[in-house]
Amino acid sequence: MTAPSSNDTLARLAAVIASRKVGDPDKSYVARLFQKGNDAILKKIGEEATEVVMACKDGVPEKIVGEVADLWFHTMLALDAYGLEPADVLAELERREGQSGLEEFALRKAVQRDKDGS
């Protein structure tokens, strides 16, 4: 038996999020955040991102992993809230694979300039 891929894990988590977001807010953390609205989800992402930075500053591997897991989870809530899936992000990462980060950044800036008409 092969180990599940990260895509499988993310897809399963996305399915759980989708099923729980319409649940009872008194019994489901996911439902409670969705009931509060997108701003509540986005606020949690900001909080979790700060906690990742603090964990990295502490340098404790287990703490870093736990905080990154929290950040990924809350980011997945935002993906769902905006009609996106983990596969969309994975496809973008695959598209960027093998591309220089500096080249990719320059391309995005050029595309944005074209959109802005500059």
Side-chain angles (χ1 to χ4, degrees), residues 27-106:
K27 296 180 181 176
S28 169
Y29 174 74
V30 170
R32 187 175 314 140
L33 273 180
F34 272 93
Q35 182 186 47
K36 290 180 179 180
N38 290 352
D39 283 351
I41 294 169
L42 299 176
K43 181 179 176 186
K44 281 302 294 180
I45 291 171
E47 291 171 7
E48 296 302 338
T50 299
E51 290 174 9
V52 167
V53 170
M54 292 168 40
C56 288
K57 294 280 240 175
D58 291 344
V60 179
E62 298 82 9
K63 193 172 179 182
I64 296 168
V65 169
E67 295 301 342
V68 169
D70 290 346
L71 176 59
W72 285 14
F73 174 79
H74 288 90
T75 301
M76 288 189 58
L77 295 178
L79 287 174
D80 185 280
Y82 290 93
L84 299 165
E85 299 178 1
D88 298 316
V89 177
L90 293 172
E92 177 62 12
L93 290 171
E94 288 171 9
R95 185 191 67 76
R96 295 180 186 185
E97 190 173 1
Q99 194 175 44
S100 159
L102 294 175
E103 290 172 0
E104 197 277 333
F105 180 71

Side-chain angles (χ1 to χ4, degrees), residues 11-24:
R12 283 193 310 273
L13 180 54
V16 169
I17 289 168
S19 71
R20 291 188 182 168
K21 73 180 185 178
V22 295
D24 181 351

